[in-house]
């Protein structure tokens, strides 16, 4: 059977946000792009890559927090990267997608995702809230 243009199997571009807890306990937020009906396949790829990247072969905890179909995931991913640039995660144990991770509060990550999806574009760079002022 051949696929018809416009069929349910047509590629869908997506933007997602994942909450990742590495085997060492470090919590990360990952923004990225994928295709298909959901970002589940991408989540499983990341899980396998993290597992292979560390010598003790422990599985990370990964949860898809946001996953939206959109026409411009590359542009949105760039907005997140520029906004959270000062909190980008870097590691010696490289894994697929590690450069799109940030060490930021999950609540701030969710709010930012929702605003950017709605068309808001920040005109400043993110700064972690000062804990002493809270």
């Amino acid at each position: 059977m051949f696929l018809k243009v416009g069929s349910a199997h047509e590629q869908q571009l997506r933007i997602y946000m994942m909450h990742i807890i590495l085997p060492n306990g470090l919590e990360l937020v990952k923004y990225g792009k994928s295709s298909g009906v959901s970002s589940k396949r991408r989540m499983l790829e990341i899980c396998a890559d993290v597992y292979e990247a560390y010598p003790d072969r422990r599985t990370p905890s990964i949860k898809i927090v946001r996953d939206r179909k959109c026409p411009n995931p590359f542009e949105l991913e760039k907005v997140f990267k520029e906004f959270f640039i000062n909190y980008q995660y870097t590691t010696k144990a490289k894994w697929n997608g590690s450069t799109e991770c940030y060490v930021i509060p999950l609540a701030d990550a969710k709010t930012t995702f929702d605003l950017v999806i709605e068309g808001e574009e920040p005109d400043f760079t993110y700064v972690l809230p000062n804990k002493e002022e809270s």
Side-chain angles (χ1 to χ4, degrees), residues 22 24 26 28 53-54 88-95 97-99 101:
L22 295 176
N24 65 7
L26 181 63
L28 306 172
Y54 292 92
Q88 189 168 11
Y89 171 69
T90 55
T91 178
K92 291 179 185 176
K94 297 287 184 203
W95 40 273
S98 65
T99 61
C101 291

Side-chain angles (χ1 to χ4, degrees), residues 16 20 22 26 28-32 42 45-47 49-50 53-54 77 81 87-103:
Y16 63 78
I20 301 172
L22 295 176
L26 181 63
L28 306 172
V29 171
K30 179 178 179 351
Y31 293 99
R42 183 69 182 120
E45 289 171 357
I46 293 166
C47 188
D49 283 352
V50 172
Y54 292 92
E77 187 180 46
K81 184 171 189 140
Y87 300 94
Q88 189 168 11
Y89 171 69
T90 55
T91 178
K92 291 179 185 176
K94 297 287 184 203
W95 40 273
N96 190 323
S98 65
T99 61
E100 299 146 353
C101 291
Y102 307 92
V103 183

Side-chain angles (χ1 to χ4, degrees), residues 22-90:
L22 295 176
N24 65 7
L26 181 63
E27 293 189 38
L28 306 172
V29 171
K30 179 178 179 351
Y31 293 99
K33 56 199 169 306
S34 67
S35 59
V37 249
S38 78
S39 295
K40 180 181 173 184
R41 181 179 301 171
R42 183 69 182 120
M43 178 190 68
L44 296 173
E45 289 171 357
I46 293 166
C47 188
D49 283 352
V50 172
Y51 176 84
E52 293 295 331
Y54 292 92
D56 57 353
R57 300 287 195 260
R58 291 186 291 152
T59 305
S61 168
I62 304 178
K63 179 181 179 182
I64 298 171
V65 179
R66 299 280 193 273
D67 185 17
R68 302 285 188 275
K69 182 178 172 183
C70 69
N72 58 342
F74 295 96
E75 291 85 358
L76 297 179
E77 187 180 46
K78 184 179 176 188
V79 169
F80 297 128
K81 184 171 189 140
E82 290 173 358
F83 186 59
F84 292 118
I85 191 72
N86 294 323
Y87 300 94
Q88 189 168 11
Y89 171 69
T90 55

